[in-house]
């Protein structure tokens, strides 16, 4: 178990210390659950009142929050408690699952595949023809990577993930359990005789930039003609659907259970709230935000926040909700 003094912790987050304690810090916890050997975080004034009854010996707090340290307790003021928390969580992160050998004997690797220096492939994984793995790639057990796929350095692929043929994956990416990359897009047309549906083949691929993280059970479908693209730094939550030929700019965020229909374009820094749905061939310009549960039917201007179903300017939607509540009375 790792153990840190207050001085050790402040050397990591570089804040201003108030109070004293003799307790060593061995972990991190929510303010109401923490014990005397754990640190907690207060990033909002609404949680400041919980500090006096908390058993935590240390709180990391935003510099605009005023609390008293109390007996044998300390708080450290920082500019941004959330970012300080991220640094400490990294410090306290347990070791990753152990690999007994870099390439497990039960993994199936095509002779034409190229495996970079320091890369590891877990039990039961399949690496197809002409696949290229960069240096220090980690493939956990039971991952499938099909033909002609390229994966950059320091990327981590967790168990159950399937990466279909001809995908291009950048460096420093993380794909969590059961991610699907490169499945066929959803495309059908009525048959000439009107008695069924004709499947539209999708012959493109998926291209994913650097430092992209994709949550468990999320899907990114291949393009119909060219590529479905996720730009550098995109962060995708669990249970997200990104359909064929979508293009995401840099550092977009999609929260859980949200979805993009085919050929949606997101600019840089777009935020899509949980369970929001975006209509096909729609463009959401850079810096825009789509509220949780919204349904976007039309293009969204840069920097705008939209809300509701169909989604409109958030201020207008809030006015509508207030008016409806008054009518309901």
């Amino acid at each position: 178990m790792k153990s840190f003094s207050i001085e050790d912790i402040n050397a990591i987050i570089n804040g201003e210390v108030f109070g004293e304690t003799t307790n060593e810090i061995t972990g991190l916890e929510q303010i109401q659950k923490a014990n005397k050997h754990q640190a907690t975080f207060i990033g909002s004034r609404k949680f400041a009142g919980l500090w006096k009854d908390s058993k935590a010996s240390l709180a990391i707090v935003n510099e605009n929050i005023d609390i008293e340290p109390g007996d044998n307790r300390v708080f450290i003021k920082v500019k941004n408690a959330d970012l300080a928390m991220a640094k400490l969580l990294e410090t306290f992160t347990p070791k990753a699952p152990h690999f007994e050998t870099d390439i497990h004997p039960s993994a199936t690797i095509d002779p034409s595949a190229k495996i970079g220096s320091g890369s590891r492939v877990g039990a039961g994984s399949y690496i197809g023809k002409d696949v290229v793995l960069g240096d220090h790639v980690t493939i956990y057990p039971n991952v499938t990577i099909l033909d002609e796929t390229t994966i950059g350095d320091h990327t981590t692929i967790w168990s159950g993930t399937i990466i279909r043929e001809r995908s291009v994956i950048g460096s420093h990416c993380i794909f969590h359990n059961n991610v699907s990359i490169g499945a066929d897009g959803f495309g059908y047309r009525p048959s000439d005789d009107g008695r069924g549906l004709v499947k539209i083949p999708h012959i493109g691929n998926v291209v994913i930039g650097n430092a992209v993280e994709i949550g468990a059970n999320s899907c990114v479908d291949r393009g119909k003609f060219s590529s479905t693209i996720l730009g550098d730094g995109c962060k995708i939550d669990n249970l997200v659907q990104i359909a064929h030929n979508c293009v995401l700019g840099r550092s977009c965020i999609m929260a859980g259970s949200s979805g993009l229909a085919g050929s949606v374009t997101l600019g840089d820094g777009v935020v899509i709230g949980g369970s929001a749905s975006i209509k096909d061939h729609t463009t959401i310009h850079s810096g825009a935000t789509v509220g949780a549960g919204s349904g976007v039917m039309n293009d969204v201007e840069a920097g705008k926040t939209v809300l509701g179903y169909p989604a409109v300017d958030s201020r207008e939607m809030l006015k509508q909700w207030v008016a409806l509540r008054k009518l309901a009375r």
Side-chain angles (χ1 to χ4, degrees):
M1 181 183 294
K2 296 179 180 179
S3 179
F4 295 87
S5 68
I6 300 303
E7 291 74 19
D8 294 333
I9 289 177
N10 196 44
I12 297 168
I13 62 175
N14 193 29
E16 186 177 4
V17 178
F18 295 85
E20 296 180 353
T21 183
T22 58
N23 295 324
E24 293 279 307
I25 303 301
T26 60
L28 312 172
E29 188 51 274
Q30 299 175 39
I31 190 167
Q32 292 167 298
K33 297 181 179 180
N35 63 42
K36 68 178 184 179
H37 292 295
Q38 292 175 319
T40 192
F41 299 84
I42 305 174
S44 169
R45 285 191 175 94
K46 70 178 180 179
F47 298 112
L50 301 174
W51 170 243
K52 64 182 177 64
D53 295 320
S54 176
K55 294 181 173 60
S57 291
L58 169 64
I60 312 302
V61 304
N62 279 357
E63 59 187 7
N64 62 342
I65 294 175
D66 293 320
I67 58 174
E68 294 296 326
D71 183 41
N72 199 27
R73 297 202 300 170
V74 170
F75 66 88
I76 301 176
K77 283 195 172 186
V78 293
K79 186 174 182 180
N80 188 316
D82 287 336
L83 295 180
M85 174 180 64
K87 290 181 180 179
L88 287 184
L89 285 168
E90 186 173 342
T91 300
F92 281 96
T93 298
K95 290 182 179 179
H98 176 66
F99 277 72
E100 197 68 43
T101 180
D102 284 349
I103 308 297
H104 195 277
S106 68
T108 299
I109 301 177
D110 190 274
S112 64
K114 297 178 181 178
I115 311 298
S117 172
S119 290
R120 303 177 295 174
V121 180
S125 290
Y126 175 82
I127 310 295
K129 185 175 184 296
D130 294 324
V131 167
V132 177
L133 303 184
D135 296 338
H136 303 288
V137 173
T138 299
I139 308 296
Y140 282 101
N142 300 314
V143 168
T144 298
I145 302 173
L146 294 181
D147 302 5
E148 300 178 30
T149 289
T150 300
I151 297 178
D153 300 341
H154 296 280
T155 285
T156 298
I157 313 293
W158 286 91
S159 297
T161 292
I162 297 177
I163 301 176
R164 289 280 299 273
E165 59 276 19
R166 303 187 309 281
S167 296
V168 179
I169 313 297
S171 299
H172 296 278
C173 293
I174 302 172
F175 296 168
H176 292 279
N177 299 69
N178 301 315
V179 166
S180 171
I181 303 294
D184 284 357
F186 187 72
Y188 300 89
R189 293 294 182 271
S191 62
D192 288 339
D193 60 11
R195 300 178 63 183
L197 296 172
V198 175
K199 179 177 174 63
I200 305 298
H202 286 70
I203 62 173
N205 71 338
V206 173
V207 176
I208 293 178
N210 300 318
V212 172
E213 186 164 358
I214 300 180
N217 298 297
S218 290
C219 302
V220 183
D221 292 345
R222 70 173 65 224
K224 183 186 297 183
F225 305 114
S226 52
S227 301
T228 301
I229 299 172
L230 276 63
D232 293 348
C234 287
K235 309 300 179 186
I236 310 299
D237 199 357
N238 299 338
L239 296 166
V240 170
Q241 163 66 16
I242 298 175
H244 62 274
N245 290 107
C246 288
V247 176
L248 280 62
R250 294 177 292 110
S251 300
C252 294
I253 295 174
M254 294 185 65
S257 298
S258 60
L260 307 181
S263 299
V264 168
T265 300
L266 306 184
D268 296 338
V270 170
V271 177
I272 307 293
S275 298
S277 302
I278 316 300
K279 179 182 175 293
D280 60 291
H281 296 274
T282 299
T283 297
I284 300 178
H285 292 278
S286 295
T289 297
V290 177
S294 299
V296 175
M297 304 296 183
N298 300 295
D299 293 356
V300 177
E301 296 174 11
K304 188 175 234 183
T305 298
V306 296
L307 187 62
Y309 198 99
V312 297
D313 182 273
S314 58
R315 292 166 296 185
E316 178 61 30
M317 181 54 65
L318 291 172
K319 289 177 184 177
Q320 292 181 27
W321 287 347
V322 169
L324 287 171
R325 288 185 65 183
K326 288 180 178 178
L327 287 172
R329 292 174 186 170

